[in-house]
Amino acid sequence: MNKKLNICAFVLALLLLVSLAGCGEASDKGEPAGTPGQTIAEVPGQTIAETPGTTSAAPAPILPEPTNPPEESVVEDEVLYVSTAGEFLEAIAPGVVIELAPGTYNLTEYLHEASDNVSDYVSRSFNDGWQAEIHEVESLTIRGAKGGKVEVVVEPRYCDVLYFNDCSDIVIENITFGHTIEQGNCEGAVLTFDYCQKISLSGLDLYGCGTYGVTADHTVGIALKDCIIRECSYGIVDLYLCSDAVFEGCAFRDNGGFDMLSLSGSFARFEGCSFTANMGDNFLPAYYYRGSESGARFERCSFDRWESQRLNEELKGHGNFVIGKDCRFEVVAGKRVVHVSNMEQMIENIAPDTQILLEPGRYNLSDTLTALYAREGGHFNESREFVRIDETYDGLELVVTGVSGLSIASESGSAADTEIVTDSRYANVLRFENCSDMGMMDITMGHSDTGDCAGDVLFFSQCSNIVLSGLDLYGCGVYGIGTSECGLLSCFDSTIRDCENGALDLFFAQSRQMFLNCLMTGSGSGGYFCADDDSDGEFYFYRCTFGDGESNSLVFNDWIITEDCIWSEITEYPDYSGESQEDNVFFALDMTRLKVAPFDAKVLTAKEYYILYEIIDSKYGEVSFETSDEVRFLTFEEDGRGCFWTDDEKGRPFNYEMNNEYSCAISFDDGAKANFGFYADQGGALPGSGEGSMWLALYLEDEALWFY
């Protein structure tokens, strides 16, 4: 027994010596090693170096070392090499890398004999032939082998070459895709993506007769790099409700048909692309789906003669398409482009059909307005047609008015490089009135200091066709974006953060106002929403991310439509205890949940009457409620006449006249004077109340009367 133990001990000692000798060889090759006589683990303060297949938790077993181990063997083991259409489609699955050998892959021939469910992730559908549909796949890479051409084709003209639905993290590289037949009538695109995200396409050659090289619907994050799209019969790309779409170093040539860039409710960036020998009805989108404004930005792109001529005409009146730096035209585009390096230059160049590119830097708008007002006083407003300076409680505010086709964008294309701030907390950073077809892109904006405030970051009044992209809007603004009686606002790939009351204040929307791939975080709430009852006003959020305050106010909001959004933890739940009057119990209005709201005479006459709810003594702050059977109420007529109906059957007739968009003056026939304004309930002004209700506050001499 002792002899056997001695033999085992000898063998273990011999193996240990071999192991130590191996460590010494590794050290000679430049790997970390300790001092002579020490192993790495014995060097004080030094972390154990890990080799492939080991962890620092325990030593690796002593195994024979392989001769010349292959590099990246783990990654290569995951690659599936295919050489037929059937092998290709059957290999598609999450987390797979598929490499296609050189050759032509006719998917139609395979699908003709395949079953309807090729696999758990691939099915076939029939139009004028069979089409492959890839669905619910994540982290899939499809690449063509180097050293030969890889081409994937289909025969039916009404089928997409490849169709992806509800997929994410898809990479496709070094492959040619197209239809086998000549150009002609067709309805199938080359590559189509529906409800996908994070799509990377590089080194592809996409050709017709496909309708478009790439079509996408409700897709966030699609990038084409060094690709060719050629000879398609409808146009180049077709994007519907897509954001974060980037085309870099691509060549678009010999496409024809309708709109070369068919964008609806989408924003795309083109960097270093060439547009050559394309010809169709339009270059930019000629029409928009209702409520879906679009935009694009071009950097370092080149445009052939037809494209240049079309842009020369189509850019007029559209501020949602920006031509950035180093673009080349065969025919110079007609839109006025101005490069500015300070706020005064920006102000002086605001005009219709103008594109303003702001050099990188941090700009204090308050300093400029103060200097201009000190120099010119009231003459400034008298001498400018499209801008004016308004006084606020604690400073000055710039108002842009009556402009169509204006673009304001950073020259660099990045909001991180260009910032506009204002010192006045009661001023909007920028305010727009009666403007249309305008865009703002790639700028950071906010107030220079925090505290009580009344101004938003961006405010739009009676504007339409607004495109915002790549913005970073921050507090202390009451809201990041405020609108009053606006229509068709689209906001893409932007951040709204740290605003006092909420991210958005969208009052009396005239049509759809939508937000795609936006981050809203750190603000008091998601905001306030109100649509014009006589319009198609609605609020749509797609793949947006919300912080705590925004989530807890928006997730229960019936005014908005959300799709595939990311929410924070919901910790606050609404109180559905019922209306206060139903139980004959009255609650005082929580004034902190009310926000002054703009209005006009049309709002006054839209309702038949306004009923009195509570009365506040202006001197002592005491609250009383209207509890009589014959309640008092207000009525307004379109001719500027109205009446405050009391117990007296004749009431108290009056004339009314707007002071501004926040206040209206009343002159009673008995000689008394009063003022009133509207307030928006942000939810919770009364127990169980939600966002959307409005209150009218009538200010008499010694009391404030609140009507609903």
Side-chain angles (χ1 to χ4, degrees):
M1 190 71 172
N2 293 335
K3 184 177 183 181
K4 290 181 180 179
L5 289 174
N6 290 335
I7 293 174
C8 291
F10 173 76
V11 172
L12 288 173
L14 181 61
L15 289 174
L16 180 59
L17 289 172
V18 173
S19 173
L20 291 173
C23 290
E25 291 175 3
S27 178
D28 292 340
K29 295 177 183 179
E31 295 183 0
T35 56
Q38 291 180 313
T39 65
I40 295 177
E42 293 171 334
V43 179
Q46 184 168 345
T47 304
I48 298 176
E50 299 180 10
T51 56
T54 70
T55 68
S56 58
I62 301 172
L63 299 173
E65 295 187 7
T67 305
N68 298 324
E71 295 183 2
E72 298 182 354
S73 58
V74 174
V75 175
E76 291 301 320
D77 288 343
E78 296 177 350
V79 177
L80 301 179
Y81 299 93
V82 301
S83 58
T84 68
E87 291 175 350
F88 164 50
L89 293 179
E90 292 168 9
I92 291 173
V96 168
V97 178
I98 302 173
E99 184 169 301
L100 284 68
T104 299
Y105 296 75
N106 189 314
L107 303 186
T108 305
E109 292 178 354
Y110 168 77
L111 291 171
H112 183 72
E113 303 296 334
S115 62
D116 288 345
N117 293 314
V118 175
S119 70
D120 291 340
Y121 305 99
V122 181
S123 58
R124 67 172 188 170
S125 62
F126 190 85
N127 289 309
D128 63 334
W130 294 107
Q131 170 180 287
E133 298 187 355
I134 303 166
H135 51 84
E136 299 174 345
V137 175
E138 298 180 1
S139 303
L140 168 68
T141 296
I142 302 171
R143 70 190 186 202
K146 297 180 180 179
K149 181 178 180 180
V150 176
E151 186 170 9
V152 177
V153 300
V154 296
E155 297 173 10
R157 292 176 300 174
Y158 289 80
C159 293
D160 306 321
V161 179
L162 280 182
Y163 171 83
F164 294 82
N165 181 263
D166 193 19
C167 297
S168 62
D169 294 288
I170 305 298
V171 177
I172 307 177
E173 302 172 338
N174 305 320
I175 301 175
T176 297
F177 292 92
H179 293 75
T180 60
I181 60 174
E182 299 292 331
Q183 283 187 313
N185 293 328
C186 57
E187 290 188 2
V190 182
L191 297 179
T192 294
F193 302 90
D194 284 354
Y195 291 85
C196 296
Q197 56 181 325
K198 296 182 182 178
I199 307 298
S200 175
L201 312 175
S202 64
L204 305 185
D205 182 0
L206 311 177
Y207 65 86
C209 77
T211 52
Y212 297 93
V214 173
T215 67
D217 182 350
H218 286 79
T219 292
V220 172
I222 181 168
L224 276 75
K225 184 175 183 180
D226 301 328
C227 293
I228 298 170
I229 296 179
R230 58 184 171 91
E231 301 167 11
C232 292
S233 58
Y234 278 27
I236 298 169
V237 295
D238 180 19
L239 306 181
Y240 176 70
L241 293 179
C242 295
S243 61
D244 192 20
V246 179
F247 301 80
E248 182 180 356
C250 295
F252 309 118
R253 59 179 174 84
D254 300 305
N255 300 286
F258 304 105
D259 299 344
M260 292 300 99
L261 304 182
S262 177
L263 309 177
S264 177
S266 301
F267 194 92
R269 296 173 183 268
F270 298 86
E271 302 173 1
C273 296
S274 63
F275 299 85
T276 309
N278 302 287
M279 186 173 294
D281 292 341
N282 305 282
F283 183 76
L284 300 175
Y287 66 93
Y288 307 103
Y289 290 89
R290 194 171 189 181
S292 301
E293 188 64 79
S294 301
R297 179 165 184 155
F298 303 89
E299 304 278 354
R300 304 182 305 281
C301 293
S302 62
F303 302 90
D304 209 353
R305 176 166 292 275
W306 178 85
E307 294 87 347
S308 298
Q309 290 174 335
R310 295 306 298 168
L311 279 173
N312 190 30
E313 301 172 7
E314 295 170 11
L315 284 173
K316 294 178 181 177
H318 288 90
N320 43 337
F321 295 91
V322 166
I323 303 297
K325 56 189 177 184
D326 299 329
C327 287
R328 300 188 303 276
F329 300 88
E330 287 292 322
V331 178
V332 177
K335 192 174 183 74
R336 177 172 174 257
V337 179
V338 182
H339 296 258
V340 302
S341 58
N342 59 61
M343 287 290 95
E344 184 171 350
Q345 291 176 354
M346 183 189 79
I347 293 169
E348 298 296 358
N349 281 285
I350 289 175
D353 293 326
T354 299
Q355 176 181 300
I356 298 175
L357 294 177
L358 188 59
E359 291 182 2
R362 188 176 190 268
Y363 302 92
N364 189 306
L365 184 56
S366 293
D367 290 347
T368 301
L369 295 178
T370 300
L372 287 172
Y373 203 70
R375 189 171 71 209
E376 300 187 38
H379 179 69
F380 179 93
N381 291 346
E382 297 171 1
S383 59
R384 270 75 168 183
E385 182 178 1
F386 303 110
V387 294
R388 72 172 188 268
I389 298 175
D390 283 357
E391 294 186 66
T392 67
Y393 176 75
D394 63 341
L396 301 173
E397 175 183 73
L398 179 68
V399 181
V400 180
T401 180
V403 174
S404 175
L406 172 69
S407 307
I408 302 177
S410 69
E411 189 177 64
S412 67
S414 171
D417 300 332
T418 308
E419 183 176 9
I420 300 175
V421 301
T422 186
D423 295 334
S424 171
R425 298 196 302 270
Y426 284 73
N428 304 290
V429 179
L430 284 178
R431 178 186 179 95
F432 297 86
E433 295 179 351
N434 301 305
C435 297
S436 63
D437 298 292
M438 61 164 295
M440 295 197 69
M441 302 169 195
D442 310 313
I443 301 175
T444 296
M445 283 178 279
H447 293 77
S448 59
D449 197 6
T450 60
D452 293 335
C453 57
D456 298 334
V457 182
L458 284 178
F459 183 79
F460 302 90
S461 177
Q462 296 182 326
C463 298
S464 62
N465 299 354
I466 307 160
V467 170
L468 311 174
S469 176
L471 300 180
D472 182 3
L473 310 178
Y474 64 88
C476 74
V478 180
Y479 293 94
I481 298 175
T483 67
S484 175
E485 297 186 84
C486 293
L488 287 179
L489 180 143
S490 301
C491 183
F492 304 92
D493 310 318
S494 295
T495 296
I496 303 175
R497 54 187 171 92
D498 305 324
C499 292
E500 184 176 352
N501 281 16
L504 305 168
D505 179 21
L506 310 181
F507 179 76
F508 261 48
Q510 304 295 302
S511 57
R512 170 176 278 198
Q513 300 187 9
M514 66 178 190
F515 300 82
L516 277 69
N517 194 38
C518 292
L519 169 65
M520 303 181 193
T521 186
S523 299
S525 71
Y528 171 78
F529 306 87
C530 175
D532 189 335
D533 293 338
D534 298 324
S535 72
D536 294 322
E538 66 174 20
F539 312 99
Y540 176 71
F541 298 82
Y542 182 67
R543 282 195 171 151
C544 292
T545 301
F546 301 107
D548 293 340
E550 295 80 1
S551 295
N552 279 286
S553 65
L554 289 179
V555 75
F556 301 108
N557 194 315
D558 294 333
W559 279 89
I560 68 174
I561 301 168
T562 63
E563 191 171 1
D564 292 344
C565 291
I566 300 174
W567 305 93
S568 295
E569 183 181 359
I570 308 303
T571 58
E572 300 175 12
Y573 296 89
D575 180 5
Y576 296 109
S577 58
E579 295 293 334
S580 58
Q581 296 98 321
E582 290 180 358
D583 298 324
N584 206 28
V585 176
F586 291 83
F587 297 92
L589 283 168
D590 181 355
M591 300 301 173
T592 66
R593 307 302 299 173
L594 300 177
K595 177 183 183 293
V596 63
F599 66 99
D600 60 20
K602 291 186 297 183
V603 174
L604 297 177
T605 57
K607 288 186 64 174
E608 187 175 351
Y609 50 81
Y610 297 81
I611 302 175
L612 179 62
Y613 176 74
E614 78 174 22
I615 305 164
I616 302 177
D617 186 293
S618 300
K619 184 176 182 180
Y620 300 104
E622 296 176 352
V623 178
S624 59
F625 300 96
E626 179 56 66
T627 59
S628 64
D629 293 334
E630 297 180 4
V631 295
R632 290 174 282 178
F633 57 94
L634 288 171
T635 60
F636 296 90
E637 305 295 335
E638 293 183 357
D639 59 0
R641 292 286 289 172
C643 188
F644 179 20
W645 296 93
T646 62
D647 293 337
D648 181 354
E649 292 183 359
K650 294 182 180 179
R652 295 180 65 191
F654 57 76
N655 293 315
Y656 67 89
E657 183 179 0
M658 298 293 298
N659 292 323
N660 51 54
E661 64 178 330
Y662 292 97
S663 175
C664 189
I666 281 181
S667 299
F668 288 101
D669 289 358
D670 59 16
K673 304 288 186 182
N675 286 281
F676 69 87
F678 272 89
Y679 289 78
D681 188 347
Q682 302 173 77
L686 291 179
S689 70
E691 296 184 23
S693 58
M694 299 294 298
W695 294 88
L696 185 155
L698 175 63
Y699 299 100
L700 300 177
E701 277 189 14
D702 357 5
E703 56 189 11
L705 283 63
W706 288 83
F707 296 78
Y708 64 96

